[in-house]
Amino acid sequence: MSMNHSNKWKASDEGGLCWVSDPAQAYVEARVKSVRKGFIKAGASDGREFDIDLELPLKPPSRTQKEPPRRVLPRLVLREPNGVENMDNLEVLHEASILENIERRFRMDLIYTNTGPILIAMNPFKWLPIYGEDVISRFHGKPYGSMPPHVFQEAEDAFVQLQKYRKNQAIVICGESGAGKTETTKLMLYYLAVVSKRTAEREARRMSTRSNASTEGGDTPTIAERMVNSNPLLEAYGNAKTLRNDNSSRFGKFTRFDFGMGSAIINGGHIENLLLEKVRVVEQGEGERNYHIFYQLCEAAKKGQVPKSTFLTGDAASHEYTKGPSAVASIDDFEEYKAMVGALEALAVKPAERELIFHVTSAVYFLGDLDFADAQDGDASVVSTDDVLKTVATLLQVRDSSKLGKALTIRVREVPGGEKVVSNNKTSEARHLRDALAKAVYARLFDWLVCRANTAFDVSTGQENQFIGVLDIFGFEDMKSNGFEQVFINTTNEQLQKVFNDIIFRSEAEEYSREQIDWDKTAFPDNTPCIDLLTRKPQGILRILDAECLRGMSASDGPKLAAKFNRAHGNHAFYEICGPASVWRRNNGERTRDEDFLIHHFAGPIVYTIAQFVDKNRDALFGHVYDLLAADSTDPIVTDIFPPTNDGGQPNGQNDVDHTTTTRASGGGSGTTKGASKGGGGVASAAAASKQTVANKYLGQLSALVSVLRESSTRFVRCIKTNHDKLPAKLDKPSCLHQLICSGVMAALEVRRAGYPTRLPYREFIREFRAFTPKGQRKYDDRDLADQMMQHPHVVERIGAKKYKLAYRLGVSKIFMQAEILYELQNVKNNMLYPFVRRLQRWWVHLQGSILQRKYKRCAADLAEAQTEASINAVSRVPAVASKLREGEEIKAETWAIVCMGNAGIAVEAISRLRQAADAAKQVVDEAVKRKEEAYRIRATFLAEIDGGNERCSALKTVAHSLYDATDSKSLLGRTADAEEALAGCRTELITVANEWETATFAAEAHQGPRSLQRAGTLNVAKQRASLDKASAEELRREMTTTGPQLTFEEATALRRQRLDAALRMVQEAEAASRAMLEKKRAMDEARAEFQASLDATSETLAALKIEDFIIAGITSVSDAVAAARDAIFFAQRALQSIDPEPVKAAVAAAARAVAAAVAVAAVADAGGRPASITLYFDVFAKWNGPFRRLAIANLSAIAFFLRPSSFVREEREERDTRQRPTERRAAAPSGNNRVGALRA
């Protein structure tokens, strides 16, 4: 059985459970009804029945298939009500079971799931209260696998592994746009900052000195906290609203926390940025925004919070570079502005320097309004908006604004010999140069900010350093139109996917072979050919693009560049030639054109359109503009990002300057390149930069990043976008399944399940589990000793005799174990050592304090555990729970005061009360969690059914748009709209009429996690509430809470069940109507096919007649008959568009009669009046099939009527001939009446 289809079905499987693939719902639950040779009949839970060809999914796809063939998989009931935490442990492993497990956990707000070393994170599109410091306390110090899957667990594992093995750690966070990568990155960094600070505080208390470690505590923010707090700055300048994500990162970011060798305290940090999307500064797609910073400054300007020297007024929509949508419902631009200012303060940026940053940003903002007009003296241009020019010059502190305007309207080229040639720019060329200046200034400012941050954070002095790095980078993109930027974004993801494949797949195969372990070998996905297609020298696509940039004015672009790609890679397995004649389509449904090409990426095929690839790759800012800013600007930031020319007098500014610093080598050491400039340096010489294209610089950065990841211990987090509507509690299962497949998660599960995912070197295994060492003989080889240890009686008993034989394998240098065995061994070891540990604890406690104090601490620890459990499960604000916890805290404070007094009798009573309060609190919390999970489980069931109904409605709308009958289409769309409205009402009720658990969740949402995420959570909740139908929400509240007696939870659930069933019945009725309409359409399709075949045959027959001969001979009857036949065929073709087959049948019959008549006329009029062979006519209609042949035979008399005008024409011609040869002609020509009679006979 493969991951997506099983063809091994027998008659004994009838009545069993199965999954059936479905385009709208990914997979639907079904039951096997019958199995016959090669086919299976299954009935779905929604009433549909499927006849499935078991072999068809295994065959190569055909272009005639309108949709993929249905697949079928076995189904086992998932026993765990909340799903399994690690999908390595699923009983049946295939696409449907994996999707079911993830869906079940998502419905219960359990958004994290493990699959071996990969963490799957589902974007809930709402804030969950599972990120507070109390939750951090629960994960910190716990071994990997002992806690539920969580982003904190991955960060904790990296933190522990760094101290244990002293090897650099990297965490790669991947996913498509809107999957939650940025938020996951912030949570990772937040966790590391908190645990490092706590470690430092513990060290300070232990040392009891005012050392460097002690400065990490208290109210002073640590370096890590300042790095976390600086996130809003880079988000403001590097994130933007796109169609898929309101806060999409338009650059890659590798954030590194530095630790001293063997230390757990963060002593520095570094940020590496990669490939900012500069083109967004000057143009955005429809429905998208420019970078957040422009809108934040505008909102702050409205409230008078930015200096007037920026000239900002707050009306972003009236400016060229920000003329798109200015407001986003999920973003409060003014709040984000305040967070951005706080981030600048975290970087120790003073107000004066902050004002200069805003000046440069505003200059880019106003550059878009700078326009040009044609000059009076020919092909030249002049600035037409002098006021804007003066504003830009003032903001950039350029002394003479006219020089800036002149520089934008001319072009300076250096010819061989050093001579400079000056030419005028046309209006379009001047605007293009203006845009190039805006992009260059913004990109250099962004790099300057990153360098400024690194100057503040990269303060580690030790040469032996290690780090934990978190990579947040854009995912695969397949936009409405994919261009230059998407090529680089998807190339990056291909490289990261290769790293993933090599670490997860290839390393698995190599290690099994090296260790001589037998296992079920599986084909590994390999995207190396795709990477070679893009980057390999000399014929990779990016390499060809680089070569074109060296050809100057003769460089190819558009269709010519695509033709070069086609010649180089036309036969490549991962490349497809596009064009109007190809089968490929753009995302907007149009045929591809000659400037398009297609690449089969790991995530799927993507069509790219070549438009200005060469210009964008050059990214040219002419030297004279560069030199003007370098020489005439007095702004410290401008002079820093545009350094002056070198000593040789050569221009430095041909291209963008790379401010990014090189990634530190994994072996340790500072290694960061720091320049001497006041803004943090790192500015390469402009002459060197001018020799580099965007592709060249980018590939160098990407190569360095990939090297760091390969040299580090890398783990992966796969973020999944749950739906494209950005709604909470909604799961688009086909989209989620596609993301799991494209990200390699499915293949990773299959590979790991086939083998032994846990492996330890023998020495490490012996050291970790030395408690299992057998007594007696001590001389063992490491391999034999490990084998003897695995045969320990307690181990065999715990694992089970049947499972034990397959639980592990012995390699050459390591022991290989199944996924859950290591955790079981840990439990066995802990149980064996527990009595000894208790003795040590008693001895230690005896030294540390009295029995009463020990009892107090136990009670306090139990109470704290209850508080943590309540906080994690979001029940701490439920009134009953909050009351018990508050009561317990009060009793704890009183008890501690009594214990400190030393009165044993009173202390015993106080501790007894504290014990009762802790037990009562734990009982209340456990009961609340149990009831909350039950409420969520019921809600999850309802939401799953609602999502299924919405997916079915989407399929119904697709059917409605495909119908021929406009009345049927309108009727089906109306039914579907009614069903969707009913389903939306059910969803609104589930979300709006919050029970006590949801109320507690909302109350806790804005109080946990990093500050930036707190705001995001609060805004998200506000958005959810604002997006609901307020009228229906109020109506539901009144009905559920105030009408009549108060409804119990069970009564409210039953009422919601009735409403949902009614909505689902509406969907079923619409589906039944659609089936009838589809049957009507199918019958019409069959009739049209038959009619079209007949029309094609008649058209071919008519085309075979050589009417030119008859026209030359002066016989007009044939041409008249042919013209009438052509008209009849034309009207029949138009009739084919009718939705009623009867008019079509009549029109086709008329066309057949007209063609038959034309053929007969031609047969009779043939060859100058000699007796025509009537067999020609019979030969023609004998080839027709079906009712039209019978129709032609039945209408011979009508055809004879058409022959009569032809006979009269022949007689007139014969009379003319008779005057010349009367005897001969009259003897040879029979009469027309005789011919008609012969025809009737």
Side-chain angles (χ1 to χ4, degrees):
M1 181 186 69
S2 67
M3 291 287 285
N4 61 5
H5 181 61
S6 173
N7 62 346
K8 306 297 183 182
W9 295 88
K10 302 176 182 178
S12 58
D13 295 322
E14 293 182 4
L17 302 177
C18 66
W19 295 99
V20 176
S21 65
D22 183 72
Q25 303 181 60
Y27 285 94
V28 295
E29 298 178 358
R31 187 178 294 274
V32 179
K33 289 193 172 183
S34 64
V35 179
R36 61 184 185 274
K37 187 175 181 180
F39 287 86
I40 183 172
K41 185 175 184 179
S45 55
D46 56 11
R48 292 180 292 170
E49 291 189 354
F50 309 103
D51 288 315
I52 302 168
D53 185 344
L54 295 176
E55 300 301 324
L56 187 58
L58 306 178
K59 298 177 182 178
S62 171
R63 292 189 178 184
T64 60
Q65 292 177 352
K66 295 183 178 180
E67 61 181 28
R70 292 195 183 271
R71 295 168 279 108
V72 61
L73 291 165
R75 177 165 67 97
L76 289 180
V77 177
L78 189 59
R79 296 187 181 92
E80 292 77 3
N82 296 338
V84 298
E85 296 177 346
N86 191 331
M87 290 193 291
D88 286 345
N89 301 326
L90 283 173
E91 296 183 36
V92 175
L93 188 67
H94 49 60
E95 288 182 357
S97 62
I98 292 169
L99 191 60
E100 180 192 24
N101 185 70
I102 288 179
E103 179 188 11
R104 183 169 295 188
R105 292 182 60 78
F106 174 76
R107 300 294 185 194
M108 297 296 294
D109 282 347
L110 302 173
I111 61 173
Y112 297 112
T113 306
N114 278 123
T115 166
I118 308 166
L119 178 69
I120 299 174
M122 311 289 286
N123 188 349
F125 288 105
K126 64 179 180 180
W127 183 248
L128 298 176
I130 55 175
Y131 304 111
E133 293 199 7
D134 51 348
V135 181
I136 292 178
S137 301
R138 187 168 185 181
F139 279 92
H140 185 40
K142 300 294 174 42
Y144 190 85
S146 62
M147 298 293 291
H150 198 285
V151 67
F152 288 168
Q153 182 172 244
E154 299 300 318
E156 172 67 19
D157 187 50
F159 185 76
V160 171
Q161 297 297 318
L162 182 75
Q163 317 308 320
K164 190 173 184 179
Y165 299 109
R166 299 190 177 184
K167 183 178 182 181
N168 294 331
Q169 305 291 310
I171 304 171
V172 179
I173 302 174
C174 300
E176 70 174 48
S177 180
K181 301 184 297 298
T182 300
E183 304 302 315
T184 302
T185 299
K186 288 188 282 191
L187 289 169
M188 287 271 192
L189 299 176
Y190 171 64
Y191 181 90
L192 294 172
V194 171
V195 297
S196 174
K197 182 176 181 179
R198 291 182 180 179
T199 303
E201 291 172 347
R202 286 197 302 269
E203 287 290 322
R205 288 194 298 268
R206 186 175 66 85
M207 299 297 295
S208 299
T209 60
R210 297 290 295 179
S211 62
N212 289 335
S214 65
T215 62
E216 299 286 337
D219 297 331
T220 303
T222 64
I223 289 177
E225 288 176 325
R226 289 166 55 202
M227 287 187 71
V228 171
N229 292 335
S230 71
N231 269 324
L233 174 63
L234 296 186
E235 285 190 19
Y237 278 88
N239 288 27
K241 179 198 179 301
T242 66
L243 293 178
R244 299 185 177 186
N245 186 6
D246 290 347
N247 188 34
S248 177
S249 297
R250 308 314 299 166
F251 72 106
K253 180 175 66 173
F254 185 63
T255 306
R256 196 182 67 219
F257 282 158
D258 292 336
F259 299 78
M261 190 61 68
S263 172
I265 300 173
I266 296 173
N267 62 6
H270 184 84
I271 299 173
E272 175 87 8
N273 66 301
L274 178 70
L275 196 67
L276 177 72
E277 186 187 20
K278 291 186 286 188
V279 71
R280 182 169 292 274
V281 176
V282 299
E283 59 180 273
Q284 306 90 40
E286 184 179 354
E288 298 187 348
R289 291 205 317 179
N290 209 321
Y291 288 104
H292 293 327
I293 182 63
F294 298 116
Y295 307 95
Q296 292 175 11
L297 290 176
C298 287
E299 285 299 315
K302 289 180 181 179
K303 297 176 171 58
Q305 298 296 311
V306 295
K308 294 183 178 179
S309 58
T310 60
F311 300 104
L312 295 171
T313 60
D315 187 12
S318 63
H319 294 268
E320 182 66 22
Y321 286 165
T322 55
K323 60 184 178 182
S326 58
V328 180
S330 62
I331 297 177
D332 187 330
D333 287 314
F334 183 65
E335 287 295 322
E336 296 303 320
Y337 167 79
K338 293 190 290 186
M340 183 267 298
V341 172
L344 288 171
E345 294 173 353
L347 299 180
V349 174
K350 297 180 180 179
E353 190 177 15
R354 182 176 69 207
E355 185 174 347
L356 292 177
I357 294 172
F358 291 167
H359 282 177
V360 178
T361 307
S362 300
V364 175
Y365 177 74
F366 284 109
L367 265 173
D369 301 329
L370 184 62
D371 206 358
F372 305 87
D374 294 332
Q376 297 178 355
D377 54 349
D379 293 336
S381 59
V382 294
V383 175
S384 61
T385 51
D386 291 330
D387 54 337
V388 176
L389 178 63
K390 292 179 182 179
T391 300
V392 173
T394 302
L395 291 169
L396 295 176
Q397 295 187 26
V398 175
R399 298 183 182 93
D400 189 349
S401 62
S402 62
K403 287 186 178 181
L404 179 60
K406 181 65 175 177
L408 294 176
T409 57
I410 63 172
R411 177 176 299 185
V412 180
R413 294 184 177 88
E414 187 173 345
V415 298
E419 182 183 356
K420 293 184 178 180
V421 177
V422 180
S423 60
N424 292 322
N425 280 333
K426 297 179 181 179
T427 302
S428 59
E429 293 172 337
R431 289 171 181 152
H432 181 75
L433 185 54
R434 173 205 64 190
D435 291 343
L437 175 61
K439 291 187 291 182
V441 172
Y442 190 87
R444 290 166 183 270
L445 175 62
F446 183 79
D447 290 339
W448 185 90
L449 291 171
V450 174
C451 289
R452 184 70 173 78
N454 288 334
T455 302
F457 301 143
D458 202 354
V459 297
S460 56
T461 58
Q463 293 299 313
E464 292 295 327
N465 276 330
Q466 51 193 5
F467 66 79
I468 298 178
V470 181
L471 177 62
D472 170 23
I473 200 163
F474 24 63
F476 275 105
E477 285 192 355
D478 187 10
M479 314 297 286
K480 186 176 181 180
S481 177
N482 299 297
F484 180 80
E485 293 75 20
Q486 279 67 45
V487 172
F488 286 90
I489 289 173
N490 293 335
T491 300
T492 303
N493 280 275
E494 284 290 349
Q495 288 278 19
L496 295 178
Q497 186 65 48
K498 180 171 173 54
V499 173
F500 176 86
N501 292 347
D502 289 346
I503 292 176
I504 301 299
F505 303 134
R506 186 164 297 173
S507 60
E508 291 273 320
E510 291 175 353
E511 186 159 20
Y512 279 107
S513 300
R514 184 171 56 250
E515 294 290 332
Q516 301 177 12
I517 299 290
D518 293 332
W519 67 302
D520 296 334
K521 296 179 176 60
T522 306
F524 301 120
D526 184 14
N527 65 335
T528 303
C530 185
I531 293 175
D532 291 343
L533 168 68
L534 289 162
T535 63
R536 188 173 184 177
K537 293 182 179 179
Q539 290 296 312
I541 286 176
L542 296 182
R543 304 299 183 180
I544 295 176
L545 179 59
D546 263 357
E548 285 299 308
C549 291
L550 301 178
R551 298 181 62 219
M553 297 297 293
S554 60
S556 300
D557 208 330
K560 293 182 178 180
L561 182 57
K564 292 189 175 183
F565 292 164
N566 296 340
R567 286 194 297 271
H569 304 293
N571 296 325
H572 198 286
F574 286 75
Y575 184 90
E576 298 287 350
I577 298 175
C578 297
S582 70
V583 299
W584 303 106
R585 297 289 187 272
R586 293 180 175 180
N587 287 340
N588 58 7
E590 297 178 355
R591 288 183 176 272
T592 55
R593 300 177 184 174
D594 292 334
E595 61 268 25
D596 297 339
F597 65 95
L598 181 144
I599 295 178
H600 291 282
H601 288 284
F602 193 90
I606 296 179
V607 175
Y608 297 97
T609 300
I610 299 178
Q612 300 180 350
F613 271 32
V614 172
D615 288 342
K616 290 181 178 180
N617 194 41
R618 287 173 178 161
D619 201 22
L621 177 62
F622 291 114
H624 68 285
V625 180
Y626 181 100
D627 292 339
L628 172 68
L629 293 176
D632 283 22
S633 175
T634 59
D635 188 300
I637 295 179
V638 176
T639 57
D640 196 14
I641 62 179
F642 291 95
T645 56
N646 58 28
D647 295 337
Q650 297 296 322
N652 290 337
Q654 300 297 332
N655 247 5
D656 186 34
V657 178
D658 184 12
H659 276 255
T660 56
T661 56
T662 55
T663 303
R664 180 175 308 181
S666 62
S670 180
T672 302
T673 304
K674 297 182 182 180
S677 62
K678 67 187 80 174
V683 181
S685 71
S690 66
K691 298 178 182 178
Q692 292 191 359
T693 61
V694 172
N696 197 355
K697 291 186 292 185
Y698 156 76
L699 290 175
Q701 286 183 305
L702 184 58
S703 177
L705 175 63
V706 170
S707 297
V708 170
L709 296 179
R710 291 186 181 280
E711 294 170 4
S712 306
S713 177
T714 305
R715 52 185 46 79
F716 296 89
V717 178
R718 293 305 200 196
C719 298
I720 304 297
K721 187 175 183 179
T722 51
N723 65 86
H724 297 291
D725 299 324
K726 307 170 191 175
L727 293 176
K730 182 177 181 180
L731 189 69
D732 184 347
K733 292 191 286 186
S735 174
C736 292
L737 179 61
H738 177 73
Q739 293 175 65
L740 290 171
I741 294 173
C742 292
S743 63
V745 171
M746 291 296 185
L749 270 170
E750 193 170 14
V751 170
R752 291 184 59 81
R753 188 60 181 266
Y756 298 88
T758 305
R759 66 288 307 258
L760 292 173
Y762 287 126
R763 294 308 303 167
E764 183 179 336
F765 176 81
I766 293 170
R767 182 175 62 251
E768 183 71 20
F769 299 104
R770 55 185 178 273
F772 302 155
T773 304
K775 297 180 179 180
Q777 186 178 358
R778 295 294 180 182
K779 295 182 180 180
Y780 285 104
D781 174 72
D782 286 349
R783 187 176 187 275
D784 294 337
L785 179 57
D787 192 19
Q788 290 291 328
M789 293 169 67
M790 287 297 295
Q791 297 177 27
H792 192 283
H794 291 328
V795 174
V796 176
E797 179 183 1
R798 178 76 179 211
I799 297 176
K802 293 183 179 179
K803 193 176 181 180
Y804 168 78
K805 295 180 180 179
L806 301 175
Y808 71 99
R809 290 289 184 271
L810 299 174
V812 175
S813 62
K814 298 179 181 179
I815 180 172
F816 288 67
M817 295 174 285
Q818 291 181 345
E820 69 279 4
I821 299 302
L822 182 63
Y823 182 62
E824 297 292 348
L825 294 179
Q826 292 281 3
N827 288 334
V828 173
K829 183 187 75 170
N830 293 339
N831 292 336
M832 292 175 62
L833 297 179
Y834 181 75
F836 303 100
V837 173
R838 289 291 296 165
R839 293 179 188 175
L840 289 173
Q841 287 177 340
R842 291 192 185 99
W843 172 76
W844 178 253
V845 168
H846 179 71
L847 296 177
Q848 294 297 314
S850 66
I851 296 177
L852 291 177
Q853 289 177 340
R854 295 201 307 272
K855 289 183 177 180
Y856 166 81
K857 290 179 180 179
R858 290 175 188 169
C859 295
D862 290 344
L863 182 61
E865 180 68 20
Q867 291 172 333
T868 301
E869 190 72 18
S871 178
I872 290 176
N873 290 279
V875 298
S876 59
R877 295 180 181 271
V878 173
V881 176
S883 175
K884 283 294 181 183
L885 293 177
R886 186 167 52 250
E887 180 183 345
E889 283 294 319
E890 294 172 355
I891 295 176
K892 185 178 79 169
E894 295 173 359
T895 302
W896 177 245
I898 294 173
V899 170
C900 291
M901 292 171 55
N903 190 326
I906 300 177
V908 168
E909 295 179 0
I911 291 174
S912 177
R913 290 197 302 272
L914 180 58
R915 167 52 58 193
Q916 293 174 1
D919 292 343
K922 186 177 185 305
Q923 182 178 359
V924 169
V925 169
D926 291 343
E927 181 64 24
V929 170
K930 180 179 178 181
R931 291 176 57 198
K932 172 181 177 275
E933 287 185 350
E934 179 62 24
Y936 269 48
R937 194 169 293 114
I938 294 173
R939 189 186 71 169
T941 302
F942 287 175
L943 288 173
E945 294 183 26
I946 290 172
D947 283 351
N950 283 323
E951 290 162 356
R952 290 157 64 186
C953 287
S954 298
L956 285 172
K957 287 190 286 188
T958 303
V959 170
H961 292 305
S962 69
L963 296 174
Y964 300 141
D965 192 339
T967 303
D968 288 349
S969 178
K970 183 177 180 181
S971 172
L972 185 56
L973 287 173
R975 287 173 176 265
T976 305
D978 293 341
E980 286 181 325
E981 184 179 356
L983 291 170
C986 295
R987 176 182 288 278
T988 300
E989 178 180 350
L990 288 171
I991 295 177
T992 308
V993 187
N995 56 34
E996 55 183 330
W997 321 115
E998 293 163 331
T999 303
T1001 300
F1002 284 143
E1005 275 176 348
H1007 299 279
Q1008 297 195 16
R1011 186 175 63 182
S1012 60
L1013 291 181
Q1014 291 175 15
R1015 286 193 306 276
T1018 305
L1019 290 172
N1020 200 301
V1021 173
K1023 176 187 174 184
Q1024 295 170 25
R1025 291 171 173 170
S1027 64
L1028 297 172
D1029 186 345
K1030 296 182 179 179
S1032 60
E1034 286 299 324
E1035 181 181 350
L1036 287 169
R1037 286 193 185 95
R1038 287 194 300 271
E1039 183 174 350
M1040 300 295 291
T1041 58
T1042 61
T1043 302
Q1046 183 70 34
L1047 295 177
T1048 64
F1049 174 73
E1050 290 75 12
E1051 292 172 338
T1053 300
L1055 183 58
R1056 293 171 185 169
R1057 177 77 265 177
Q1058 292 175 7
R1059 288 197 176 112
L1060 180 55
D1061 288 342
L1064 292 176
R1065 278 196 299 272
M1066 296 174 69
V1067 177
Q1068 291 175 349
E1069 291 169 358
E1071 287 177 332
S1074 73
R1075 286 193 288 270
M1077 296 173 186
L1078 284 175
E1079 179 62 25
K1080 178 180 176 182
K1081 179 189 173 187
R1082 185 194 61 78
M1084 187 61 202
D1085 285 339
E1086 292 178 353
R1088 282 182 175 177
E1090 183 178 357
F1091 296 151
Q1092 185 65 58
S1094 299
L1095 278 180
D1096 291 343
T1098 57
S1099 298
E1100 292 174 3
T1101 302
L1102 195 62
L1105 295 178
K1106 297 181 179 181
I1107 61 172
E1108 297 85 358
D1109 297 340
F1110 298 102
I1111 295 175
I1112 293 173
I1115 305 175
T1116 59
S1117 58
V1118 176
S1119 59
D1120 293 341
V1122 170
R1126 285 175 177 171
D1127 290 341
I1129 291 174
F1130 172 75
F1131 288 120
Q1133 289 283 8
R1134 293 187 60 180
L1136 279 176
Q1137 306 305 317
S1138 172
I1139 60 175
D1140 187 1
E1142 291 302 323
V1144 180
K1145 183 177 180 181
V1148 172
R1153 288 195 299 269
V1155 172
V1159 171
V1161 169
V1164 174
D1166 190 25
R1170 291 189 300 270
S1173 175
I1174 201 64
T1175 57
L1176 171 65
Y1177 171 71
F1178 289 101
D1179 288 341
V1180 170
F1181 74 75
K1183 297 178 182 178
W1184 296 351
N1185 297 319
F1188 301 105
R1189 181 173 180 272
R1190 295 191 296 271
L1191 179 67
I1193 296 174
N1195 286 275
L1196 289 179
S1197 59
I1199 294 171
F1201 172 78
F1202 285 104
L1203 293 178
R1204 294 179 64 189
S1206 298
S1207 64
F1208 298 156
V1209 172
R1210 283 186 180 276
E1211 289 177 355
E1212 291 173 358
R1213 185 179 62 185
E1214 289 170 359
E1215 290 176 0
R1216 290 196 304 267
D1217 292 341
T1218 301
R1219 288 192 293 267
Q1220 299 174 3
R1221 292 176 296 175
T1223 306
E1224 178 180 338
R1225 295 298 299 168
R1226 290 185 184 278
S1231 66
N1233 291 334
N1234 292 336
R1235 288 196 298 273
V1236 173
L1239 180 60
R1240 288 179 174 174

